Amino acid sequence: MNGTANHTAYGRNTGTGMENLTLAVAKGRVLKETLPLLERAGIQVLEDPFTSRKLILPTSLVHLSLVVVRSTDVPTYVRFGAADLGVVGKDILVEYDGAGLYELLDLGIARCRMAVAEPAMKPHSVHRRLRIATKYTNTTRNFFARRGLQAEVIKLYGSMELAPLAGLADQIVDLVDTGGTLRANGLVEVETIAHVSSRLVANQASMKLKDQSIMEISERLADCLKV
Ligand code: AMP
């Protein structure tokens, strides 16, 4: 269920006349690049999310709180209204189906690409069905199906680069930024599937019930993207 206006599960009575908002931000690189963007938008997070043990962090906007969650959980928090807003990579929105979420802004941060890679020295076998290791199983299946290619897609939760080296898979689908991780493991990029950056997303009910507060945050961020 979605929270009613001016009330979330974490709601504080701000007395500002603005509706309470919760912003869920994906841990890791997205969080690291979101904090300076929030600062530029005049929003300071009042406790260091990298050292604080608190899970709900106040900001300099008394009606706005931050929660830091796993990237794959951001769409769930926002879809169910536990967070009104979220910052998460497009890779996650595509993989876990962004249905029920409004994508408000491309924040242009945590840029990378989703790519297919394979060992430089060991081209994949032509004798059996291509096996691809990835945590993006839906996106990978759709990509290979669109190409009319038969591929066995296997799910891994981390260290994707190890899979071809250990003989678990012929290729991987993973995020690539500088290409350093691939190079360090003797892998080469063979195809780009998508360009990825972080998006500001909103819960659909919150968009109606808290439109004033949401538009204010969205406009602050949009303004600092222009400069
Ligand atoms: P790089 O060595 O710079 O190509 O970075 C690749 C590693 O960083 C892989 O383990 C990726 O999963 C991870 N990575 C790259 N870009 C991102 C991103 N925007 N968000 C999360 N992980 C990323």
Side-chain angles (χ1 to χ4, degrees), residues 29-30 110-112 135 161 174-182 196:
R29 189 176 155 195
V30 174
R111 284 183 190 277
C112 59
K135 60 179 174 186
E161 297 80 10
D174 198 10
L175 300 184
V176 181
D177 181 18
T178 61
T181 308
L182 292 182
V196 171

Side-chain angles (χ1 to χ4, degrees), residues 8 10 20-24 63-67 82-86 210:
T8 69
Y10 326 107
N20 281 324
L21 286 181
T22 301
L23 170 66
H63 61 286
L64 180 70
S65 303
L66 201 83
V67 293
D84 306 287
L85 291 165
K210 305 184 180 183

Side-chain angles (χ1 to χ4, degrees), residues 2-207:
N2 294 304
T4 53
N6 213 23
H7 175 80
T8 69
Y10 326 107
R12 289 176 288 166
N13 187 358
T14 63
T16 59
M18 299 296 274
E19 302 105 346
N20 281 324
L21 286 181
T22 301
L23 170 66
V25 181
K27 273 184 187 164
R29 189 176 155 195
V30 174
L31 174 64
K32 211 166 143 201
E33 296 191 24
T34 298
L35 294 178
L37 192 61
L38 289 173
E39 289 262 343
R40 280 188 4 236
I43 303 166
Q44 285 86 37
V45 180
L46 300 180
E47 298 210 22
D48 182 352
F50 295 103
T51 55
S52 175
R53 285 172 186 269
K54 278 195 184 166
L55 299 174
I56 302 166
L57 303 166
T59 75
S60 54
L61 295 185
V62 72
H63 61 286
L64 180 70
S65 303
L66 201 83
V67 293
V68 180
V69 297
R70 280 181 76 124
S71 59
T72 46
D73 289 337
V74 171
T76 309
Y77 271 79
V78 177
R79 181 173 304 127
F80 286 90
D84 306 287
L85 291 165
V87 178
V88 68
K90 185 72 177 172
D91 52 321
I92 301 295
L93 295 173
V94 170
E95 176 67 18
Y96 295 97
D97 179 16
L101 307 179
Y102 275 116
E103 197 176 305
L104 290 171
L105 284 178
D106 179 351
L107 298 172
I109 55 169
R111 284 183 190 277
C112 59
R113 53 198 182 278
M114 190 186 292
V116 184
E118 66 183 16
M121 303 304 288
K122 185 174 164 290
H124 59 79
S125 158
V126 291
H127 301 298
R128 66 169 162 82
R129 200 148 69 119
L130 194 64
R131 192 188 280 170
I132 324 273
T134 184
K135 60 179 174 186
Y136 301 100
T137 51
N138 297 325
T139 314
T140 301
R141 264 189 215 103
N142 291 339
F143 176 76
F144 281 91
R146 277 200 306 275
R147 293 290 163 95
L149 291 171
Q150 289 270 323
E152 182 184 1
V153 178
I154 55 174
K155 172 106 179 176
L156 284 182
Y157 293 87
S159 301
M160 236 56 66
E161 297 80 10
L162 181 60
L165 309 180
L168 179 62
D170 304 296
Q171 297 184 329
I172 61 168
V173 168
D174 198 10
L175 300 184
V176 181
D177 181 18
T178 61
T181 308
L182 292 182
R183 271 193 302 280
N185 291 291
L187 303 175
V188 289
E189 208 172 323
V190 290
E191 196 157 3
T192 300
I193 294 182
H195 291 277
V196 171
S197 56
S198 298
R199 310 299 161 106
L200 179 69
V201 293
N203 170 272
Q204 288 190 339
S206 300
M207 286 287 288

